[in-house]
mmCIF file of all heavy atoms in Angstrom:
data_model
loop_
_atom_site.group_PDB
_atom_site.id
_atom_site.type_symbol
_atom_site.label_atom_id
_atom_site.label_comp_id
_atom_site.label_asym_id
_atom_site.label_seq_id
_atom_site.Cartn_x
_atom_site.Cartn_y
_atom_site.Cartn_z
ATOM 1 N N SER A 9 89.230 82.040 77.656
ATOM 2 C CA SER A 9 89.869 81.071 78.557
ATOM 3 C C SER A 9 90.488 81.745 79.739
ATOM 4 O O SER A 9 90.778 81.063 80.674
ATOM 5 C CB SER A 9 91.013 80.264 77.793
ATOM 6 O OG SER A 9 92.005 81.149 77.412
ATOM 7 N N VAL A 16 83.451 93.429 77.645
ATOM 8 C CA VAL A 16 83.619 94.857 77.599
ATOM 9 C C VAL A 16 84.761 95.358 78.484
ATOM 10 O O VAL A 16 85.600 96.006 78.104
ATOM 11 C CB VAL A 16 82.248 95.530 78.019
ATOM 12 C CG1 VAL A 16 82.485 97.094 78.210
ATOM 13 C CG2 VAL A 16 81.107 95.260 77.064
ATOM 14 N N ASP A 24 90.561 106.852 78.775
ATOM 15 C CA ASP A 24 89.671 107.443 77.862
ATOM 16 C C ASP A 24 89.154 108.737 78.525
ATOM 17 O O ASP A 24 88.748 108.650 79.642
ATOM 18 C CB ASP A 24 88.521 106.485 77.505
ATOM 19 C CG ASP A 24 87.510 107.094 76.568
ATOM 20 O OD1 ASP A 24 86.608 107.752 77.068
ATOM 21 O OD2 ASP A 24 87.593 106.804 75.325
ATOM 22 N N PHE A 46 89.684 90.576 84.359
ATOM 23 C CA PHE A 46 90.965 90.789 83.771
ATOM 24 C C PHE A 46 91.051 91.994 82.874
ATOM 25 O O PHE A 46 90.077 92.196 82.157
ATOM 26 C CB PHE A 46 91.358 89.550 82.940
ATOM 27 C CG PHE A 46 92.763 89.781 82.277
ATOM 28 C CD1 PHE A 46 93.880 89.554 83.032
ATOM 29 C CD2 PHE A 46 92.820 90.156 80.999
ATOM 30 C CE1 PHE A 46 95.171 89.722 82.455
ATOM 31 C CE2 PHE A 46 94.107 90.350 80.463
ATOM 32 C CZ PHE A 46 95.250 90.144 81.145
ATOM 33 N N VAL A 65 93.106 93.468 101.298
ATOM 34 C CA VAL A 65 94.053 94.293 102.122
ATOM 35 C C VAL A 65 94.326 93.687 103.515
ATOM 36 O O VAL A 65 95.406 93.938 104.075
ATOM 37 C CB VAL A 65 93.458 95.743 102.361
ATOM 38 C CG1 VAL A 65 93.296 96.457 101.024
ATOM 39 C CG2 VAL A 65 92.184 95.800 103.156
ATOM 40 N N THR A 68 97.917 90.321 103.541
ATOM 41 C CA THR A 68 99.148 90.803 103.028
ATOM 42 C C THR A 68 100.133 89.693 102.609
ATOM 43 O O THR A 68 101.116 89.951 101.798
ATOM 44 C CB THR A 68 99.889 91.694 104.045
ATOM 45 O OG1 THR A 68 100.095 90.956 105.262
ATOM 46 C CG2 THR A 68 99.033 92.913 104.410
ATOM 47 N N LYS A 121 100.912 110.533 114.243
ATOM 48 C CA LYS A 121 99.721 110.239 115.095
ATOM 49 C C LYS A 121 98.911 111.514 115.173
ATOM 50 O O LYS A 121 99.428 112.643 115.000
ATOM 51 C CB LYS A 121 100.071 109.687 116.419
ATOM 52 C CG LYS A 121 100.988 110.523 117.227
ATOM 53 C CD LYS A 121 101.386 109.706 118.530
ATOM 54 C CE LYS A 121 102.319 110.600 119.431
ATOM 55 N NZ LYS A 121 102.707 109.836 120.664
ATOM 56 N N SER A 131 100.782 125.957 111.504
ATOM 57 C CA SER A 131 101.577 126.025 110.248
ATOM 58 C C SER A 131 100.764 125.838 109.049
ATOM 59 O O SER A 131 101.037 126.424 108.017
ATOM 60 C CB SER A 131 102.782 124.904 110.370
ATOM 61 O OG SER A 131 103.641 125.183 111.396
ATOM 62 N N ARG A 134 98.929 129.086 108.430
ATOM 63 C CA ARG A 134 99.830 130.082 107.926
ATOM 64 C C ARG A 134 100.126 129.919 106.415
ATOM 65 O O ARG A 134 100.071 130.884 105.686
ATOM 66 C CB ARG A 134 101.147 130.099 108.708
ATOM 67 C CG ARG A 134 102.224 131.013 108.198
ATOM 68 C CD ARG A 134 103.436 131.025 108.991
ATOM 69 N NE ARG A 134 103.973 129.658 109.224
ATOM 70 C CZ ARG A 134 104.714 129.015 108.356
ATOM 71 N NH1 ARG A 134 104.970 129.434 107.142
ATOM 72 N NH2 ARG A 134 105.143 127.772 108.692
ATOM 73 N N PHE A 151 92.538 127.626 90.457
ATOM 74 C CA PHE A 151 92.743 127.112 91.882
ATOM 75 C C PHE A 151 93.716 126.001 91.986
ATOM 76 O O PHE A 151 94.480 125.914 92.921
ATOM 77 C CB PHE A 151 91.362 126.578 92.311
ATOM 78 C CG PHE A 151 91.294 126.087 93.697
ATOM 79 C CD1 PHE A 151 91.435 126.827 94.745
ATOM 80 C CD2 PHE A 151 91.242 124.651 93.851
ATOM 81 C CE1 PHE A 151 91.385 126.372 96.053
ATOM 82 C CE2 PHE A 151 91.173 124.106 95.161
ATOM 83 C CZ PHE A 151 91.313 125.010 96.278
ATOM 84 N N SER A 182 108.597 114.679 93.260
ATOM 85 C CA SER A 182 107.658 113.751 93.816
ATOM 86 C C SER A 182 106.507 113.611 92.879
ATOM 87 O O SER A 182 105.975 112.575 92.699
ATOM 88 C CB SER A 182 107.254 114.212 95.227
ATOM 89 O OG SER A 182 106.466 115.367 95.193
ATOM 90 N N ASP A 183 105.993 114.699 92.229
ATOM 91 C CA ASP A 183 104.921 114.717 91.328
ATOM 92 C C ASP A 183 105.224 113.795 90.161
ATOM 93 O O ASP A 183 104.424 112.980 89.618
ATOM 94 C CB ASP A 183 104.683 116.080 90.700
ATOM 95 C CG ASP A 183 104.041 117.018 91.730
ATOM 96 O OD1 ASP A 183 103.662 116.623 92.786
ATOM 97 O OD2 ASP A 183 104.010 118.218 91.349
ATOM 98 N N ALA A 206 117.084 111.170 89.112
ATOM 99 C CA ALA A 206 118.481 111.036 89.550
ATOM 100 C C ALA A 206 118.830 112.223 90.433
ATOM 101 O O ALA A 206 119.623 112.099 91.366
ATOM 102 C CB ALA A 206 119.355 110.984 88.291
ATOM 103 N N GLY A 224 117.774 117.610 113.884
ATOM 104 C CA GLY A 224 116.674 118.558 114.327
ATOM 105 C C GLY A 224 115.676 117.877 115.061
ATOM 106 O O GLY A 224 115.856 116.769 115.605
ATOM 107 N N HIS A 276 76.991 121.368 94.068
ATOM 108 C CA HIS A 276 75.865 121.058 94.963
ATOM 109 C C HIS A 276 75.692 122.362 95.808
ATOM 110 O O HIS A 276 76.084 122.390 97.013
ATOM 111 C CB HIS A 276 76.075 119.924 95.799
ATOM 112 C CG HIS A 276 76.218 118.604 94.995
ATOM 113 N ND1 HIS A 276 77.499 118.232 94.502
ATOM 114 C CD2 HIS A 276 75.317 117.649 94.594
ATOM 115 C CE1 HIS A 276 77.333 117.120 93.752
ATOM 116 N NE2 HIS A 276 76.110 116.728 93.861
ATOM 117 N N LEU A 280 76.814 123.491 99.677
ATOM 118 C CA LEU A 280 77.769 124.521 99.922
ATOM 119 C C LEU A 280 77.253 125.630 100.904
ATOM 120 O O LEU A 280 77.911 126.026 101.830
ATOM 121 C CB LEU A 280 78.228 125.172 98.659
ATOM 122 C CG LEU A 280 79.130 126.417 98.637
ATOM 123 C CD1 LEU A 280 80.495 126.059 99.461
ATOM 124 C CD2 LEU A 280 79.404 127.015 97.323
ATOM 125 N N GLU A 285 77.077 128.098 106.293
ATOM 126 C CA GLU A 285 76.279 128.544 107.510
ATOM 127 C C GLU A 285 76.676 127.755 108.743
ATOM 128 O O GLU A 285 76.680 128.369 109.852
ATOM 129 C CB GLU A 285 74.750 128.224 107.194
ATOM 130 C CG GLU A 285 73.800 128.483 108.286
ATOM 131 C CD GLU A 285 73.695 130.077 108.610
ATOM 132 O OE1 GLU A 285 73.881 130.849 107.647
ATOM 133 O OE2 GLU A 285 73.287 130.441 109.713
ATOM 134 N N ASN A 310 100.325 92.454 94.407
ATOM 135 C CA ASN A 310 100.791 91.286 93.562
ATOM 136 C C ASN A 310 100.572 90.069 94.229
ATOM 137 O O ASN A 310 100.838 89.941 95.514
ATOM 138 C CB ASN A 310 102.362 91.609 93.389
ATOM 139 C CG ASN A 310 102.602 92.964 92.558
ATOM 140 O OD1 ASN A 310 102.313 92.938 91.402
ATOM 141 N ND2 ASN A 310 103.104 93.880 93.287
ATOM 142 N N VAL A 329 94.575 95.135 90.924
ATOM 143 C CA VAL A 329 94.274 96.555 91.107
ATOM 144 C C VAL A 329 93.040 96.644 92.010
ATOM 145 O O VAL A 329 92.009 96.225 91.624
ATOM 146 C CB VAL A 329 94.073 97.268 89.841
ATOM 147 C CG1 VAL A 329 93.831 98.759 90.092
ATOM 148 C CG2 VAL A 329 95.307 97.126 88.860
ATOM 149 N N GLU A 339 76.933 99.574 96.136
ATOM 150 C CA GLU A 339 75.502 99.693 96.559
ATOM 151 C C GLU A 339 75.189 98.852 97.850
ATOM 152 O O GLU A 339 74.210 99.201 98.549
ATOM 153 C CB GLU A 339 74.580 99.247 95.385
ATOM 154 C CG GLU A 339 74.734 100.109 94.191
ATOM 155 C CD GLU A 339 75.803 99.709 93.268
ATOM 156 O OE1 GLU A 339 76.609 98.774 93.666
ATOM 157 O OE2 GLU A 339 76.052 100.332 92.214
ATOM 158 N N ASP A 356 82.458 107.882 106.563
ATOM 159 C CA ASP A 356 83.783 107.533 107.110
ATOM 160 C C ASP A 356 84.114 106.066 106.803
ATOM 161 O O ASP A 356 85.233 105.637 107.148
ATOM 162 C CB ASP A 356 83.848 107.889 108.589
ATOM 163 C CG ASP A 356 82.806 107.110 109.409
ATOM 164 O OD1 ASP A 356 81.876 106.491 108.774
ATOM 165 O OD2 ASP A 356 82.880 107.231 110.683
ATOM 166 N N GLY A 410 91.729 113.761 89.627
ATOM 167 C CA GLY A 410 91.741 115.065 90.009
ATOM 168 C C GLY A 410 91.759 116.044 88.757
ATOM 169 O O GLY A 410 91.948 115.505 87.647
ATOM 170 N N LEU A 411 91.511 117.269 89.024
ATOM 171 C CA LEU A 411 91.387 118.271 87.909
ATOM 172 C C LEU A 411 92.795 118.828 87.541
ATOM 173 O O LEU A 411 93.636 119.005 88.319
ATOM 174 C CB LEU A 411 90.451 119.428 88.341
ATOM 175 C CG LEU A 411 89.053 119.055 88.650
ATOM 176 C CD1 LEU A 411 88.438 120.123 89.447
ATOM 177 C CD2 LEU A 411 88.358 118.823 87.340
#
Side-chain angles (χ1 to χ4, degrees):
S9 64
V16 175
D24 181 277
F46 179 79
V65 299
T68 58
K121 59 186 180 181
S131 295
R134 172 178 53 77
F151 181 72
S182 67
D183 289 349
H276 299 84
L280 173 60
E285 179 69 22
N310 298 291
V329 182
E339 300 82 358
D356 60 352
L411 294 164

